[in-house]
Amino acid sequence: MQTNKDFNNGKQLEDDYQESNIKKTLSQQEEGKKDSNDRCCGSKRASYILKGCLFTVILLIITALVVLPQVFSGTASAVDNSNDAKSRFPAPTSVDPPYPTNTTSSPNNNDTAFTPDPRLHQSFYGIDYTPHGTLYQKQCGVKYQDVLEDMKILQQLTTRIRLYGMDCDQASMVLRAIKQLKANMGVVLTLWVDGSSVTYNRQYNIFWQVLKEFGSDHILGVSVGNEAIYREQIVTSDLIKLIKDVKNRLQKSGHSHVPVYTTEIKDLPNLIPEEDAVMDNVHPFFAGTLVEDAANWTWEYFFNVDQYPTLLTAKQLDLNASQTKPAIISEVGWPTYPKDSKVKAAEPSVDNQRILLETFICEANKRQVPYFWFEFKDQPWKAIEFNETRESYWGLFDKDLKLKHARLPDCYTDKWKKGNNTVIQPEPLRSLD
């Protein structure tokens, strides 16, 4: 691009060159006059013609100096206006999406605008969420703009989300999006445990960095591991040591109000005394139940395996209701595909997921059962990672954020409030006696 300085320097050189040529021409003319003193009238006529040509050349040069800069300036302005038009009016999409769009997407990381989706309601107590591209082994790949768009939808569904790890800046991105959207949302953070000290130390260090950067206002709790004992990647005694370490360090750093636990379905009697809450993944699908019976099966399982032991412990220690450790369903849901991947009477399908949504969500809210729906959107990587197609299709939305259902439940649920990590609890199904 030509600058004004370049143009002025060029103009000065051109003026100097023109002045030199004019002086040279006049000098030559004067010399010609001396030689023409003894010439006839024809020589005088030639002199007049020469002067006329010289005047015309000078006039053309001056005109060019005045007009050309305006022409080039107008061209540059037209190019700039053309670029402005491209940025303001992006090319339309080639086809209309099969479902209504959920949010207004934008490449601008500061874009907090979105169009509320009338099919969505804040009816979920909590939802499990994994941003796409957060596999450390796959060199990450998660983008903040994608997380922001996810959070625009999630805030219309729930005030609580649960993450599965700390890798790839996922926790930082989620908390940043919550802050940017000014959303009333809390997050359960998970330190992933897989039997590798390298993995755990990486997760552990990132967690403290996140806590330092964002504080604990939007942290609902910390889960040290997710079914690590069930997967036989750690023994109970070692997991308890990790839990105690995180609890002690939180207390020393002024965050003693943040509860610490694990998410586990095995060895609960030994874990419960050491954690601040019981988190259990409760899946009627894997129990092989008919979807019509799934909600009732979940109430029974939750009481017998999770709530009853905490109530019994509190009774033995003579604790009141506020001192009793809460029990939480950390996962409950239903897969939508493939249909032939059954577990006994449990069949994956969109219709069956809809049935569980309709029979479980509002009733759980009414009973005050705390739960996290599994999960927000489909995860294509799981089919490859676990060699199990069904694992990828538990989402309310598909991988492209298209809602699988015509509508979602619309009913009241307990809303999280900043600074309040109290967990609601249902009335026991039966007496402890």
Side-chain angles (χ1 to χ4, degrees):
M1 179 183 293
Q2 189 182 46
T3 65
N4 290 334
K5 183 177 180 182
D6 292 335
F7 180 83
N8 292 334
N9 289 340
K11 187 175 184 302
Q12 184 63 49
L13 289 172
E14 189 174 4
D15 289 345
D16 292 345
Y17 177 75
Q18 292 167 355
E19 184 178 355
S20 174
N21 280 345
I22 292 172
K23 287 181 179 179
K24 183 178 179 180
T25 304
L26 290 174
S27 176
Q28 291 171 345
Q29 185 178 352
E30 288 173 358
E31 290 177 0
K33 282 183 181 179
K34 290 180 183 179
D35 294 337
S36 67
N37 282 338
D38 297 331
R39 294 183 183 181
C40 65
C41 296
S43 296
K44 290 182 179 178
R45 187 163 51 249
S47 176
Y48 293 146
I49 293 171
L50 180 61
K51 290 179 180 178
C53 291
L54 179 61
F55 178 79
T56 301
V57 170
I58 293 171
L59 185 62
L60 289 172
I61 291 172
I62 292 172
T63 302
L65 290 174
V66 173
V67 174
L68 288 176
Q70 295 179 357
V71 172
F72 287 124
S73 174
T75 303
S77 177
V79 171
D80 290 343
N81 288 338
S82 174
N83 288 338
D84 266 356
K86 287 179 182 177
S87 64
R88 289 197 302 267
F89 305 103
T93 55
S94 57
V95 293
D96 292 329
Y99 303 94
T101 54
N102 302 293
T103 63
T104 303
S105 299
S106 168
N108 182 0
N109 284 351
N110 293 318
D111 180 19
T112 59
F114 68 95
T115 303
D117 189 328
R119 300 168 299 170
L120 310 183
H121 311 280
Q122 261 191 5
S123 299
F124 292 79
Y125 180 87
I127 294 179
D128 294 308
Y129 172 52
T130 301
H132 287 168
T134 51
L135 273 187
Y136 182 81
Q137 298 86 342
K138 304 295 183 183
Q139 285 73 51
C140 299
V142 60
K143 298 176 182 178
Y144 175 69
Q145 186 62 30
D146 293 338
V147 173
L148 184 62
E149 295 303 313
D150 288 347
M151 295 301 294
K152 289 177 183 179
I153 300 173
L154 278 162
Q155 71 171 347
Q156 299 177 68
L157 296 170
T158 186
T159 58
R160 302 173 183 86
I161 61 172
R162 173 172 168 262
L163 299 178
Y164 284 84
M166 302 298 298
D167 280 335
C168 305
D169 269 346
Q170 59 181 293
S172 295
M173 290 186 186
V174 166
L175 289 168
R176 177 183 163 195
I178 288 174
K179 182 178 180 181
Q180 187 172 333
L181 294 168
K182 298 179 180 178
N184 178 50
M185 299 183 78
V187 186
V188 173
L189 300 179
T190 297
L191 309 187
W192 187 257
V193 175
D194 63 3
S196 166
S197 59
V198 174
T199 298
Y200 183 75
N201 288 335
R202 184 177 67 246
Q203 304 264 324
Y204 183 85
N205 291 332
I206 294 172
F207 168 71
W208 297 111
Q209 292 170 8
V210 168
L211 190 65
K212 183 178 180 180
E213 180 179 358
F214 293 95
S216 58
D217 285 349
H218 290 271
I219 298 179
L220 294 176
V222 183
S223 179
V224 181
N226 177 68
E227 296 186 342
I229 296 174
Y230 171 76
R231 295 193 307 272
E232 298 182 350
Q233 293 176 329
I234 194 171
V235 296
T236 303
S237 58
D238 287 342
L239 183 59
I240 288 173
K241 289 177 184 177
L242 298 181
I243 292 172
K244 286 183 175 180
D245 171 65
V246 173
K247 288 177 69 172
N248 290 336
R249 188 166 172 181
L250 281 171
Q251 290 173 352
K252 290 178 181 178
S253 59
H255 301 286
S256 58
H257 62 284
V258 177
V260 183
Y261 33 71
T262 189
T263 304
E264 191 54 68
I265 61 176
K266 289 190 69 175
D267 208 7
L268 293 182
N270 288 316
L271 287 169
I272 288 174
E274 309 298 338
E275 51 186 354
D276 295 324
V278 177
M279 294 272 279
D280 190 356
N281 298 337
V282 182
H283 284 291
F285 177 83
F286 290 119
T289 66
L290 285 168
V291 70
E292 291 81 2
D293 301 328
N296 286 330
W297 179 93
T298 303
W299 314 135
E300 288 289 338
Y301 177 99
F302 176 72
F303 175 74
N304 293 329
V305 178
D306 301 319
Q307 188 183 21
Y308 179 82
T310 63
L311 294 172
L312 189 60
T313 300
K315 183 177 180 180
Q316 292 170 347
L317 297 176
D318 197 24
L319 303 177
N320 59 38
S322 64
Q323 295 172 311
T324 302
K325 294 180 180 181
I328 305 166
I329 298 176
S330 44
E331 287 182 10
V332 60
W334 200 273
T336 59
Y337 180 84
K339 194 169 184 178
D340 60 357
S341 188
K342 297 170 110 181
V343 176
K344 299 179 182 177
E347 180 180 288
S349 75
V350 172
D351 280 344
N352 284 347
Q353 186 184 76
R354 176 186 55 78
I355 290 171
L356 183 59
L357 284 167
E358 291 176 351
T359 56
F360 177 82
I361 297 298
C362 292
E363 184 62 25
N365 297 343
K366 182 180 177 182
R367 294 182 183 219
Q368 293 194 307
V369 175
Y371 63 89
F372 288 83
W373 181 267
F374 184 79
E375 60 185 318
F376 172 57
K377 63 180 179 180
D378 288 346
Q379 301 290 331
W381 63 271
K382 289 185 179 180
I384 301 170
E385 190 74 13
F386 304 128
N387 194 30
E388 169 60 78
T389 302
R390 187 178 56 208
E391 286 295 318
S392 288
Y393 297 97
W394 290 70
L396 293 169
F397 296 78
D398 71 8
K399 64 181 180 62
D400 298 316
L401 294 181
K402 295 185 180 73
L403 184 61
K404 297 178 182 179
H405 307 282
R407 65 183 185 278
L408 291 176
D410 182 8
C411 53
Y412 173 80
T413 187
D414 179 75
K415 306 290 195 297
W416 175 80
K417 297 177 181 63
K418 184 178 176 180
N420 184 3
N421 289 342
T422 303
V423 180
I424 59 172
Q425 291 290 273
E427 288 293 322
L429 289 180
R430 289 177 292 278
S431 170
L432 298 183
D433 299 329

